[in-house]
Amino acid sequence: MALESVVVRPALLPELLELTIPKIKNLPRRHKDDGSTGTDGTRQVAVCAALLKLKLLPFSRKFQNDVISATRARPGLLGKRFQEIPDIPPRTTQVEISHLRKPFTQADVDEISIHLGETYDWFLRRSCVIKVNGRAVDARSFETWAFPPNCEPQSATFDAEVTQGQRIAVAITAGLIRDRNPEKENYGVYFYCNHRLITKELKVHEVGYFVTSEAGVPHPDASLCRVIVQLQGAARLMPWNSNKSAINFGHPAFQYVRPTLIQLTSHFSSLSRRLKDDWDGKVFRFKSGKVAATEPEHVTIKNPLVLPPLPRVNKPQVEKLKSRNKAQIHAQPWTLGLVEAMAALEVIARQRLETKNRIALILLDSNFEIALKEFIVHREDLFPPSQFGRAAIQTLFERRSDVIAAVTKKVIIPKPLLTKAQHFYNIRNKLVHERATVEPTETDVATYRSTIEKILKILFKLRF
């Protein structure tokens, strides 16, 4: 497969257009292409003429003379293969490539088309036409944002004073993406200078990666973060390298935007990790929305951006239980304390207390007794207030066995559960009323907890 031609028809500012010829594989070292040619024609001939037949329609007669002069400076460079510039439409640049030692494959041609579509996306969307082998190149944008609620993309726009009195316009947009490709690792930072893509999928420490307190180590669990940096201004103020294929991290323009860039990269990398358990449900399905604006004026690391709070990595146990029993708590408000008491066991378990098992067992037993009281007080259909007034309930609760007998007459509680509850009630009494000191084990706490959870489910339909 030969790459026969690349045709560019500019619609905007043709006199300033630069045509990038992609790197050509397997050229001899002395002819290695630096990836960039200018409109003066000299560098085009120097790079390609020895092995390629080059045809260019210039924008002016001066351009023709420059090309011809360049070839005359190196006699025999094109030799008999030199042809007069053909008659092709005005405002058009045509490059024909042939006589390569190793021809392009179809995959190479496709890759060139994709590269041109990504690099000149802004121009292609404004009537500029680039054709490769006669086929128009499609514009390719990277702004495929997702809009999760309260986690929308953020955009910071400001001016940066690169040198005294010389400024460039900066727009940095960051967010989670919907076009994730694990194989291509299409995330990270993308730089555009004057609407031209300079580099993409950048993941280096200069933009926040490989720093624990910032974006962290690049990893698939953070691969939904994309940051697009757009710089506009005089070419001499752009932080690109000489052939416009990379960013110069030491350039003043980059140093000015770096604090904002790092904060946005870090924020959305962390957000990606926090939502990784359900990207389909929490990210990808939110396909429309608006990019939120943030104010980066005089941004430094000590003066952070105002960004939406990150969601919690793991909900506390109490939040999980309350969410799981939302309907029951709404219908029976008195069950809130029972649910939160069960959640408090998780808090106790995490403490460095030598007697935490004792505390947990006492809490469980008290919660069980309170649950029995709440059931009797609020189930007026089973325990009429005329029979179970304040005095009657006070008398009933002098002995737990009487309370359990009254409840089990109205609702069935399996005998094994009541037997276990009585066992741990006896342990609790030894702790409170007897001389002997008994230290409950973690197994005791786990068994009693499971028992109480089952009884609460029977009495109030609570879920644990």
Side-chain angles (χ1 to χ4, degrees), residues 24-308:
I24 301 174
K25 301 177 181 177
N26 301 319
L27 288 180
R29 183 178 298 276
R30 65 180 178 276
H31 297 302
K32 194 67 174 180
D33 182 14
D34 70 350
S36 177
T37 58
T39 54
D40 62 353
T42 304
R43 202 156 30 139
Q44 291 175 334
V45 173
V47 171
C48 299
L51 296 175
L52 308 178
K53 178 176 65 177
L54 183 65
K55 297 180 182 178
L56 298 169
L57 177 67
F59 300 138
S60 65
R61 177 59 57 182
K62 180 180 182 299
F63 183 86
Q64 291 185 26
N65 295 335
D66 288 343
V67 174
I68 294 173
S69 298
T71 60
R72 288 174 177 171
R74 298 179 63 183
L77 190 62
L78 295 180
K80 295 180 180 180
R81 294 197 299 275
F82 177 76
Q83 297 181 10
E84 293 294 333
I85 296 173
D87 184 17
I88 59 177
R91 298 167 60 87
T92 300
T93 297
Q94 179 172 315
V95 179
E96 294 186 4
I97 301 175
S98 60
H99 301 292
L100 295 177
R101 291 184 177 180
K102 182 178 179 181
F104 287 102
T105 65
Q106 182 60 50
D108 294 329
V109 175
D110 292 342
E111 184 179 348
I112 290 171
S113 297
I114 292 172
H115 169 75
L116 292 173
E118 293 174 347
T119 303
Y120 300 106
D121 169 74
W122 186 88
F123 298 93
L124 292 171
R125 295 182 189 276
R126 287 161 176 79
S127 301
C128 178
V129 177
I130 299 178
K131 291 184 178 180
V132 176
N133 284 358
R135 184 176 180 180
V137 170
D138 295 326
R140 293 176 177 269
S141 171
F142 297 102
E143 297 190 42
T144 53
W145 306 117
F147 298 86
N150 302 317
C151 301
E152 296 86 355
Q154 299 285 317
S155 179
T157 57
F158 54 99
D159 288 342
E161 187 172 8
V162 180
T163 60
Q164 188 173 7
Q166 296 182 314
R167 308 178 73 87
I168 61 173
V170 181
I172 306 177
T173 305
L176 302 182
I177 57 174
R178 293 180 287 107
D179 63 340
R180 172 180 180 263
N181 188 323
E183 295 181 358
K184 295 183 178 180
E185 297 187 348
N186 59 334
Y187 66 103
V189 179
Y190 296 58
F191 271 91
Y192 289 82
C193 292
N194 291 337
H195 303 301
R196 171 177 171 171
L197 178 65
I198 303 303
T199 186
K200 65 176 184 176
E201 300 165 4
L202 195 61
K203 295 180 276 288
V204 294
H205 77 272
E206 285 86 355
V207 297
Y209 288 94
F210 298 100
V211 180
T212 303
S213 60
E214 295 172 359
V217 177
H219 192 273
D221 64 4
S223 63
L224 298 189
C225 171
R226 182 175 292 164
V227 183
I228 295 177
V229 181
Q230 296 174 313
L231 308 178
Q232 289 290 113
R236 65 181 180 277
L237 302 180
M238 293 294 107
W240 51 29
N241 63 356
S242 60
N243 63 3
K244 303 178 179 66
S245 62
I247 293 297
N248 175 7
F249 298 123
H251 195 281
F254 175 79
Q255 293 299 320
Y256 194 97
V257 304
R258 185 172 184 265
T260 305
L261 169 61
I262 287 180
Q263 289 184 70
L264 288 170
T265 305
S266 304
H267 178 84
F268 284 98
S269 293
S270 179
L271 178 60
S272 177
R273 291 187 176 97
R274 290 167 185 252
L275 301 179
K276 68 179 180 179
D277 61 320
D278 186 16
W279 279 345
D280 289 330
K282 297 178 179 178
V283 179
F284 297 146
R285 68 188 184 93
F286 299 102
K287 300 180 181 180
S288 61
K290 294 183 178 180
V291 176
T294 187
E295 296 293 337
E297 186 176 2
H298 304 301
V299 173
T300 65
I301 295 299
K302 295 181 180 180
N303 180 26
L305 298 176
V306 179
L307 299 171

